[in-house]
Amino acid sequence: MIDARAVVSPQADIARDVEVGPFSIIGPNVSIGAGTWIGPHAVINGPTRIGAGNKIYQFASIGDAPQDKKYQGEPTRLEIGDRNVFRESVTVNRGTVTGNGVTVIGNDNLLMAYSHVAHDCRLGDQIVLANCATLGGHVELGNWVIMGGLSAVHQFTKVGDHCFLAHNAMVTRDVPPYIMAVGRPAVPHSVNSEGLKRRGFSEEQIRNIRRAFSVLYRSGLKLQAALEELERVAESQAELRPFVDFIKRSSRSLVR
């Protein structure tokens, strides 16, 4: 299953059925789970743990050192879950000691060609990064986030579950769950209602989320007053609890 022209370190731990294409390089301290496919000309360095059923296409660079001038070769790592797809020329860097030493990618994500995940990022599940989407260091993406082509997220920024970041968007502030953000810099446009429908949210839940969006962005209330109103409503509308909790833990202020 490993092409004779591949270079695989004897210190790598690779499941028996992993396929490795020609001219790919797998370094020491790399663990790769069952059913993973690695195409030609990919480079995987460690410490990196890759789960089961992943696909890594040609010229991807996975688990190399962070692009951070403060990094001095400390032992940091990359953790990748199951069933992710890394398309051509994707780059994913390990963590730094200032970010708990680890970059984390969850399950069932699609990273399209030339997308980049910088050091210390934390990605949830079912995320799509379209071509050339870029994450700065320490970015957090929730589950089901979609980033359009050529979009980017500034370092230390958080993006909540079910958000949609439009093509060419430049996100410099935190984006609460359920929101579509557009522009450079990105601003809140509307609720990602189509995405919510596809994921099983009811019409009533989507209406509640739209009302919450209006309270936050259309009512003219200051943030603290809007948050107090949303807290009250969230007591009876569970779908708003992630929205409220995200706002409370925002560290870079919200897109406005």
Side-chain angles (χ1 to χ4, degrees):
M1 309 294 282
I2 298 178
D3 191 280
R5 292 162 292 180
V7 178
V8 179
S9 169
Q11 283 79 49
D13 180 14
I14 301 176
R16 291 176 62 86
D17 64 345
V18 170
E19 297 184 43
V20 182
F23 309 111
S24 284
I25 299 173
I26 300 176
N29 300 315
V30 172
S31 172
I32 303 177
T36 293
W37 176 86
I38 300 167
H41 296 282
V43 177
I44 305 174
N45 283 316
T48 291
R49 186 191 65 81
I50 299 173
N54 292 281
K55 290 187 176 181
I56 299 173
Y57 283 74
Q58 55 266 30
F59 304 108
S61 175
I62 307 295
D64 225 316
Q67 299 177 98
D68 186 331
K69 293 179 71 174
K70 299 185 297 298
Y71 180 70
Q72 300 296 319
E74 298 91 349
T76 60
R77 68 190 195 278
L78 167 65
E79 299 279 345
I80 295 173
D82 302 331
R83 299 176 303 279
N84 298 286
V85 177
F86 301 87
R87 291 303 302 253
E88 298 83 353
S89 300
V90 165
T91 51
V92 182
N93 295 153
R94 300 193 310 272
T96 65
V97 293
T98 59
N100 297 319
V102 62
T103 301
V104 178
I105 294 178
N107 305 312
D108 301 297
N109 300 299
L110 169 59
L111 282 70
M112 296 187 191
Y114 298 98
S115 56
H116 173 66
V117 178
H119 58 86
D120 306 295
C121 287
R122 290 182 174 267
L123 279 63
D125 304 331
Q126 300 286 354
I127 291 166
V128 176
L129 304 187
N131 298 70
C132 299
T134 299
L135 304 179
H138 309 268
V139 165
E140 296 182 20
L141 297 186
N143 301 323
W144 297 99
V145 170
I146 296 177
M147 291 182 62
L150 300 169
S151 60
V153 181
H154 191 280
Q155 62 186 359
F156 293 100
T157 299
K158 301 178 182 67
V159 179
D161 294 349
H162 303 285
C163 284
F164 186 98
L165 308 181
H167 165 82
N168 209 35
M170 180 64 68
V171 179
T172 59
R173 297 183 180 185
D174 294 343
V175 185
Y178 312 130
I179 285 177
M180 296 181 67
V182 304
R184 302 174 66 86
V187 296
H189 177 270
S190 58
V191 169
N192 182 19
S193 56
E194 190 60 37
L196 296 178
K197 289 177 187 177
R198 293 173 183 172
R199 292 159 209 152
F201 283 72
S202 69
E203 290 293 334
E204 181 181 5
Q205 288 175 317
I206 295 172
R207 283 196 299 271
N208 293 339
I209 291 168
R210 283 175 170 156
R211 292 191 192 102
F213 178 90
S214 295
V215 169
L216 182 62
Y217 289 117
R218 302 288 185 262
S219 66
L221 294 173
K222 292 186 177 180
L223 180 58
Q224 185 57 40
L227 182 58
E228 290 172 1
E229 172 64 14
L230 293 171
E231 280 269 27
R232 183 187 63 79
V233 177
E235 292 178 2
S236 59
Q237 299 174 9
E239 61 275 11
L240 299 188
R241 177 47 54 190
F243 192 71
V244 171
D245 290 346
F246 182 97
I247 295 170
K248 291 169 68 175
R249 75 183 189 94
S250 172
S251 58
R252 285 188 55 81
S253 76
L254 304 177
V255 291
R256 299 287 281 182

